[in-house]
Amino acid sequence: MSQINTIKEYQDLFDIDANLNRLVKNIELLNYVNPQNIASEKKKFFSSKYNYEPQFHYPKIRFNGYKLHRLFFSQRLERIEDADIRQLYEDIIYEYSGLIECIETIGQGRKFYFNSLKSFGTPTEKDIENAKFILRFDDSIFDEEMLPMYSALEARDYFDEFSKRYDFNYNIKISNNLSAAAMVLNNIQTLVLRKSHKYSLNQLKVLTNHEIGVHMVTTFNALEQPLKIFSNGFPNNVETQEGLAVYSEFMSGCLTIERLKELSFRVIAVDSLHKGYNFSDTFHLLHSQHKLNRDKAFAITLRVHRGGGFTKDHLYLRGIRNVYKYAKDGKDLGVLLTGKVSQEYIPTIEKLQDLGLAVKPSYITDAYANNDNTHPNLDFILNSLK
């Protein structure tokens, strides 16, 4: 079926999809939740012997939240005849509405935390047990590849070289206002690197396979889809997309126990929000109790306390568990690379493909072609996660 015929036949669906696309342009949560004064607040925190509560500043909101909510819920979804597709769009509207509430309450403490809970949830008992299980493994073997020695400019060159294997073009930006070492801004096809960060060779391998091999791959696959929801994101896509990205690290042979421990510490840190911990409480939990060095402990604490309590980070470990088991069962990873999609909507994605409303992915994560992992403990750990 040609796309033109498909558009005519499903005109109401395409109209609603286009309306939602116009509305979500300003609600990229990561544009708003990263503090603008990380370096100065980190300096104050360390000077205070870790007892100062950082006062972070955030970018100004560039939209009217109330008006956006009203426009989202005014969509005439009853015009979408297929029940599964209609349900997907209904779920998406509730998802986007939740993200607006998150953005509107950034910097408002528990108010933001409760909105974050609604959008991203919190670790389950199983998640916490999985994290504690991973933390029991030894990661003390010295490896030169783990030494931080590359600047952001050198990292940019490494990313440029790695990206030659994919024939898409994206921008690389270097910024100080970043809580992660690197991240992809999907809506403007841009990779952002943290200026002050020193990268190890292993981290460069991890980040290229994670950010380019998955996040940029799904960004460009989504741009080829007839429907914009593949770019804007399905409900709960963070868990699946981050799971795919960490699985790419595993398959390319650069996932380490240290990296899995980092994801486990994030689960522990997010759980501390549920217990009412403030910034310095979570930092002391990681630094004093779990013996993380102060820079790593600060970075993880920042990630989960930004905005007022950002729970997204526990989804990485759950995501890799789910994607690892899905791939081990011999299931098709390609359907999960069609855009910013989630595992629970696979039947709907396949239905959209059958109807000519979605296409197969042009780009496939090259790390998925061969399993280059040589660490026997990693297979054992991932296979053991509940």
Side-chain angles (χ1 to χ4, degrees), residues 121-302:
T122 196
T124 62
E125 283 297 323
K126 278 185 181 176
D127 293 329
I128 295 160
E129 284 172 24
N130 286 336
K132 288 178 176 174
F133 169 71
I134 290 167
L135 294 177
R136 293 206 297 265
F137 285 82
D138 182 25
D139 63 340
S140 58
I141 300 165
F142 174 75
D143 186 345
E144 244 180 74
E145 284 200 0
M146 305 302 286
L147 295 173
M149 55 198 295
Y150 297 97
S151 68
L153 288 172
E154 290 169 317
R156 182 168 65 186
D157 293 339
Y158 190 93
F159 273 92
D160 279 336
E161 186 58 36
F162 178 91
S163 301
K164 288 176 182 173
R165 63 188 74 186
Y166 298 106
D167 89 357
F168 48 63
N169 295 310
Y170 63 93
N171 305 306
I172 299 182
K173 180 182 166 190
I174 295 174
S175 169
N176 273 323
N177 301 324
L178 204 60
S179 53
M183 73 176 203
V184 165
L185 290 176
N186 171 51
N187 58 343
I188 51 171
Q189 297 91 58
T190 298
L191 171 79
V192 189
L193 299 172
R194 192 163 89 226
K195 188 176 184 179
S196 59
H197 191 74
K198 283 287 182 188
Y199 300 80
S200 69
L201 180 57
N202 173 264
Q203 191 177 30
L204 289 176
K205 290 178 179 178
V206 163
L207 289 171
T208 45
N209 282 285
H210 183 114
E211 302 292 347
I212 307 305
V214 172
H215 292 327
M216 206 60 87
V217 159
T218 55
T219 289
F220 280 92
N221 281 335
L223 289 173
E224 296 188 352
Q225 298 293 346
L227 296 168
K228 301 298 183 187
I229 50 163
F230 284 86
S231 282
N232 295 322
F234 283 38
N236 198 30
N237 74 83
V238 170
E239 183 181 309
T240 298
Q241 296 300 309
E242 298 302 348
L244 288 167
V246 179
Y247 186 66
S248 174
E249 298 172 31
F250 169 75
M251 291 292 283
S252 61
C254 58
L255 184 64
T256 61
I257 289 182
E258 183 181 345
R259 169 71 168 152
L260 275 184
K261 282 189 167 185
E262 179 195 336
L263 302 184
S264 301
F265 283 128
R266 291 182 187 179
V267 174
I268 301 293
V270 172
D271 186 54
S272 78
L273 297 172
H274 166 67
K275 293 172 178 171
Y277 283 32
N278 64 18
F279 192 99
S280 57
D281 292 335
T282 302
F283 177 86
H284 283 294
L285 171 68
L286 298 174
H287 181 55
S288 306
Q289 194 173 319
H290 287 286
K291 309 302 180 193
L292 265 187
N293 76 50
R294 69 178 196 166
D295 286 313
K296 284 185 178 173
F298 183 89
I300 292 172
T301 304
L302 168 64

Side-chain angles (χ1 to χ4, degrees), residues 316-374:
Y316 289 67
L317 191 59
R318 193 189 296 172
I320 178 59
R321 178 201 67 187
N322 291 344
V323 170
Y324 178 84
K325 292 187 187 309
Y326 176 88
K328 201 171 178 214
D329 289 342
K331 294 177 181 173
D332 174 30
L333 286 164
V335 69
L336 298 177
L337 294 172
T338 50
K340 307 301 180 181
V341 303
S342 31
Q343 257 180 281
E344 51 263 56
Y345 290 97
I346 288 174
T348 308
I349 298 166
E350 290 172 341
K351 176 182 271 194
L352 289 168
Q353 288 175 335
D354 291 343
L355 293 170
L357 295 166
V359 297
K360 303 276 187 187
S362 294
Y363 303 103
I364 299 290
T365 304
D366 70 338
Y368 294 166
N370 298 296
N371 186 348
D372 291 333
N373 171 57
T374 56

